[in-house]
Amino acid sequence: VLEKVRVGETGELQTLTITNVGEKPMLIDVLSLVGGDVEEFLIEEEGCGTRLLEPQASCEVRVRFTPLGLGVRHTTAELHAQMPESPARLEVRGEGLAPILTVDPASAVFGSQDVGSDSEPLDLVVGNRGTAPLKISRVTLTGVAEQDFRLTGNECSKSTLTPGQTCGLRLVFVPRAAGERQAEVVLSSDALEPETNA
């Protein structure tokens, strides 16, 4: 089972069952997780370590997954026991999910504009190209010349974008003084990294 968990969160306990299919008791020396993204998997309940497993008997190990990155993450459960071809190996996998916020265009550039007059509006498309819902709590203007820009359209504040979904922002430039004016549109969200737009 490929458990899907949001990056930074912890998933449910997953059970690995080990069965002695042989005809003799099997002494288990150690079962451990090795290699790959091993720091993202944790054995929480070890029901198989250093014990004698009778024929046809089973024991269980419970593993918890906390992804630190996007995509499929994996490690290997390695069982050292008195059996042919020891150690036995089993891949343990999970998938890290996260929202990824995008803004198109990445930079909003207005042309020359008379002081005190409104520019033509510029539309920004905010999207989620990640694998988990994106929650945008608010959209704000900040920076030295934040008073020279206005958000005249905002579909994004207090919204949740599913993967692939977009919302729109409309920005107008109203310069209060001559010269280059600059501000940032800041989107407060639960995306992996906050993105700003100038």
Side-chain angles (χ1 to χ4, degrees):
V1 178
L2 183 67
E3 188 186 19
K4 297 184 177 190
V5 180
R6 197 173 174 117
V7 171
E9 294 183 3
T10 299
E12 302 292 319
L13 278 173
Q14 300 296 314
T15 303
L16 303 178
T17 303
I18 294 162
T19 304
N20 180 0
V21 294
E23 298 169 357
K24 296 180 181 176
M26 178 176 70
L27 180 64
I28 296 174
D29 295 325
V30 65
L31 184 132
S32 58
L33 299 176
V34 295
D37 307 299
V38 68
E39 69 281 358
E40 300 177 36
F41 296 86
L42 177 68
I43 294 176
E44 285 211 356
E45 296 176 20
E46 165 57 290
C48 295
T50 318
R51 60 174 288 179
L52 195 65
L53 199 59
E54 295 297 328
Q56 306 310 310
S58 298
C59 62
E60 291 182 347
V61 175
R62 292 181 186 264
V63 177
R64 206 177 285 274
F65 172 52
T66 306
L68 299 177
L70 275 172
V72 175
R73 322 297 286 173
H74 66 91
T75 188
T76 301
E78 197 170 82
L79 175 70
H80 291 265
Q82 285 183 342
M83 62 180 178
E85 298 178 21
S86 179
R89 292 181 178 89
L90 171 71
E91 188 179 43
V92 181
R93 299 187 312 152
E95 185 177 352
L97 305 179
I100 298 174
L101 186 137
T102 61
V103 180
D104 184 34
S107 172
V109 180
F110 289 91
S112 298
Q113 188 69 32
D114 290 340
V115 172
S117 66
D118 289 17
S119 72
E120 287 294 313
L122 188 120
D123 291 325
L124 303 174
V125 177
V126 177
N128 176 8
R129 66 173 176 85
T131 50
L134 169 69
K135 290 182 182 166
I136 301 172
S137 53
R138 62 193 174 114
V139 180
T140 52
L141 281 168
T142 184
V144 187
E146 65 181 87
Q147 300 291 325
D148 294 46
F149 298 86
R150 278 203 323 263
L151 272 172
T152 59
N154 179 358
E155 302 171 341
C156 300
S157 284
K158 297 182 180 173
S159 68
T160 299
L161 302 182
T162 58
Q165 192 175 13
T166 61
C167 61
L169 298 174
R170 178 163 281 184
L171 198 59
V172 171
F173 176 41
V174 190
R176 292 157 35 113
E180 188 175 302
R181 315 299 287 163
Q182 193 169 351
E184 286 185 329
V185 176
V186 179
L187 296 130
S188 302
S189 75
D190 62 351
L192 276 186
E193 293 179 11
E195 287 205 17
T196 58
N197 189 287

